[in-house]
Amino acid sequence: MTLSFFDQFMSPTHFGIPLIALALALPWVLYPKPTSRWLNNRLLTLQSWFINRFTQQIFQPLSLGGHKWAVLLTSLMLFLITLNMLGLLPYTFTPTTQLSLNMAFAVPLWLATVIIGMRNQPTHALGHLLPEGTPALLIPVLIVIETISLFIRPLALGVRLTANLTAGHLLIQLIATAASVLLPLMPTIALLTAILLFLLTLLEVAVAMIQAYVFVLLLSLYLQENV
C-alpha cells in the first residue's frame, strides 16, 4: 500500500476508537506537580520561572479586568507548547495540525472577548467598526469590511497554527525521505541532507513554541480591545 505524505495528519484510531482524546490528555500527565516544600527541584523552579515571565509579558499591558484570564491563557499556552513539541517526536500524532481542533480553541475564546466587550462597553466595542473621521460615502463600506475582519479573526488564529505546523511536518518528512533514498546512492549528499534535517528540526522546535505564544498573544490583544 502506498502511503501519502499527508497520512501522518490523520487522526489515529485503535479498534475504531479515535485516539485524539488520549493525545490531548497525555500532556497534563507530564507536567510536574507543585509541592509544599520550601525548596523545589530544578524542573519545578524552571517551570515556575517560565510561567511567571510569560504571565508578566502577556498581561502587563492589560487592565486589571483582563488579569482574570491569566490562568486560562497561561494554561492554554503550556498546553499548546506541549502538544506541538510532542508532535515532533517519531511515531507521534500532533493534534494541533487538525484545523477543527484549533478552531475549537480559537472560536470560543474569541467569542468570549467579543461578548465581554459588548457587555461592558458596547459603544467602544461597536466603535471599532467605524474609525473616527470616516467620510460619509465610505461609512457603509467600512462597516462591512471591519465586520468581516472581526469575524475572520478566529479563522486566522486556527489556520495560522495549523498551516505552520503542517508545513513544518511535511518539510521534515520530505527531507527525511530524501536522506534515506540518497544514502545508498550518494552518501555525501545524504549526509548533507541529514544535517539540513537536523537544522530544520531545531527550527521546528522554535516554531512550535513561537506559534503557541503567538496564538495566546493574539487572544490577549483581542481581550485588550474589549476590557
Side-chain angles (χ1 to χ4, degrees):
M1 181 178 65
T2 304
L3 296 179
S4 169
F5 283 121
F6 291 92
D7 286 343
Q8 60 176 316
F9 305 117
M10 295 176 60
S11 180
T13 58
H14 187 65
F15 294 116
I17 301 174
L19 299 182
I20 188 170
L22 179 62
L24 292 175
L26 179 62
W28 300 109
V29 183
L30 303 178
Y31 300 138
K33 303 297 186 294
T35 64
S36 58
R37 298 177 181 177
W38 285 7
L39 295 177
N40 293 322
N41 56 32
R42 291 184 178 89
L43 186 58
L44 275 175
T45 303
L46 180 62
Q47 176 181 280
S48 301
W49 175 85
F50 173 78
I51 292 176
N52 291 335
R53 291 293 297 174
F54 168 75
T55 306
Q56 181 182 2
Q57 182 79 17
I58 290 292
F59 292 95
Q60 190 172 9
L62 294 181
S63 62
L64 292 178
H67 292 180
K68 301 174 183 178
W69 288 57
V71 175
L72 175 62
L73 294 186
T74 304
S75 302
L76 179 62
M77 166 80 170
L78 292 174
F79 187 55
L80 290 178
I81 285 181
T82 308
L83 287 178
N84 296 346
M85 298 287 285
L86 289 177
L88 294 174
L89 297 176
Y91 302 104
T92 56
F93 170 68
T94 312
T96 44
T97 56
Q98 306 295 311
L99 181 60
S100 57
L101 177 69
N102 295 333
M103 293 300 293
F105 285 141
V107 172
L109 293 174
W110 163 82
L111 187 59
T113 62
V114 174
I115 292 175
I116 287 175
M118 295 296 293
R119 185 188 65 180
N120 295 340
Q121 41 187 7
T123 304
H124 180 72
L126 293 175
H128 289 296
L129 301 180
L130 186 62
E132 187 177 356
T134 304
L137 292 177
L138 296 180
I139 288 177
V141 179
L142 277 181
I143 291 178
V144 172
I145 293 175
E146 292 297 331
T147 304
I148 293 174
S149 68
L150 177 66
F151 283 96
I152 280 180
R153 284 179 173 182
L155 181 62
L157 281 175
V159 170
R160 180 186 293 106
L161 182 58
T162 304
N164 281 282
L165 295 179
T166 302
H169 284 64
L170 284 175
L171 279 175
I172 288 177
Q173 185 172 3
L174 285 170
I175 296 178
T177 303
S180 61
V181 170
L182 291 173
L183 183 60
L185 303 176
M186 294 177 286
T188 304
I189 303 299
L191 178 61
L192 295 177
T193 308
I195 294 174
L196 178 62
L197 177 62
F198 175 74
L199 296 177
L200 180 62
T201 304
L202 294 181
L203 177 64
E204 282 305 307
V205 171
V207 168
M209 294 186 289
I210 291 172
Q211 288 303 317
Y213 175 77
V214 169
F215 189 92
V216 177
L217 177 64
L218 290 176
L219 280 175
S220 69
L221 294 178
Y222 301 157
L223 179 64
Q224 184 178 357
E225 293 180 358
N226 294 284
V227 294

